Amino acid sequence: MTCDRGRAVALGTEDAPQLQAFLDLNPRYSQIVAGRPWLPDEALQELTETPPPDWPQGRTWKLALLGPDGDCQGLLVYSEDLLAHGVWHLGLLLIDERLQRQGLARHWVDAFERHARACGARWVRLGVVVGNAPAEAFWSARGWAEAKRREGVQIGELVQDLRVMVKPLAGDANLDEYLELVSRDRP
């Protein structure tokens, strides 16, 4: 996957030290979502974690988002065909704090959506912490709509409410059809 700002490269467990250094330089997300700094082994956890094994799913990707000069701009984690064929789940988009508010996230989300659509995804979904106003505004402005709220989700030190947000990618895809396929996300 590429965008006009760089390219994405798959990460493996051998990349844990570099990913951990990136996470440690970008603590804001972990503070907002988990109520604590990144754990010392958080990168390795992220690189080895997968959705629950009893959920229908395709491959899960962990990608370093690299700028033109090879510097790490961010991290993108997504799963193909999660919960239903044609539904992709964006698990994490983390942009370097020093590069935020420069349109970089928008470029990477556009690239992700183009890639997902080209690979047959009909919908993309994600969870946003309620009260993370910048994230909620960003995803809403990009055309993602709330399908359901999940209350009382333990994330790190905090119990959070999540907005499950969905965006149709195929021209004939709609939220009603999505909810028929993914009963978990029905209101």
Side-chain angles (χ1 to χ4, degrees), residues 1-2 61 63 76 78-81 85-90 108-125 144 167-170:
M1 180 172 42
T2 62
W61 294 85
L63 304 175
L76 175 67
Y78 69 90
S79 297
E80 300 170 351
D81 296 324
H85 181 72
V87 177
W88 285 26
H89 177 78
L90 199 162
W108 281 113
V109 168
D110 289 347
F112 168 70
E113 290 176 6
R114 281 192 307 274
H115 171 71
R117 187 179 297 109
C119 292
R122 294 176 49 79
W123 300 271
V124 285
R125 73 188 291 276
W144 298 61
K167 181 176 183 178
L169 294 180

Side-chain angles (χ1 to χ4, degrees), residues 5-168:
R5 302 277 183 100
R7 62 188 172 89
V9 176
L11 295 170
T13 55
E14 69 279 3
D15 299 307
Q18 295 87 351
L19 178 57
Q20 188 67 48
F22 175 79
L23 294 177
D24 291 341
L25 288 172
N26 294 280
R28 187 179 311 131
Y29 176 83
S30 186
Q31 290 289 354
I32 292 168
V33 172
R36 59 162 169 72
W38 297 105
L39 299 175
D41 65 343
E42 196 103 32
L44 185 58
Q45 287 180 40
E46 187 62 52
L47 291 170
T48 57
E49 185 177 66
T50 59
D54 58 328
W55 289 9
Q57 62 191 278
R59 183 168 177 188
T60 295
W61 294 85
K62 286 86 189 291
L63 304 175
L65 306 177
L66 304 180
D69 57 359
D71 61 317
C72 186
Q73 297 178 337
L75 172 65
L76 175 67
V77 176
Y78 69 90
S79 297
E80 300 170 351
D81 296 324
L82 187 67
L83 301 170
H85 181 72
V87 177
W88 285 26
H89 177 78
L90 199 162
L92 177 62
L93 173 64
L94 179 64
I95 299 296
D96 187 319
E97 292 172 12
R98 298 167 296 178
L99 302 173
Q100 291 178 2
R101 293 176 178 66
Q102 298 177 24
L104 194 57
R106 181 175 40 84
H107 286 278
W108 281 113
V109 168
D110 289 347
F112 168 70
E113 290 176 6
R114 281 192 307 274
H115 171 71
R117 187 179 297 109
C119 292
R122 294 176 49 79
W123 300 271
V124 285
R125 73 188 291 276
L126 56 76
V128 178
V129 170
V130 173
N132 184 353
E136 290 180 288
F138 174 82
W139 294 109
S140 293
R142 306 290 312 140
W144 298 61
E146 182 174 322
K148 181 178 185 163
R149 292 234 176 169
R150 295 205 181 288
E151 297 178 343
V153 178
Q154 183 76 43
I155 305 175
E157 305 295 319
L158 301 176
V159 175
Q160 301 276 25
D161 293 341
L162 299 178
R163 292 177 68 191
V164 176
M165 300 184 80
V166 177
K167 181 176 183 178

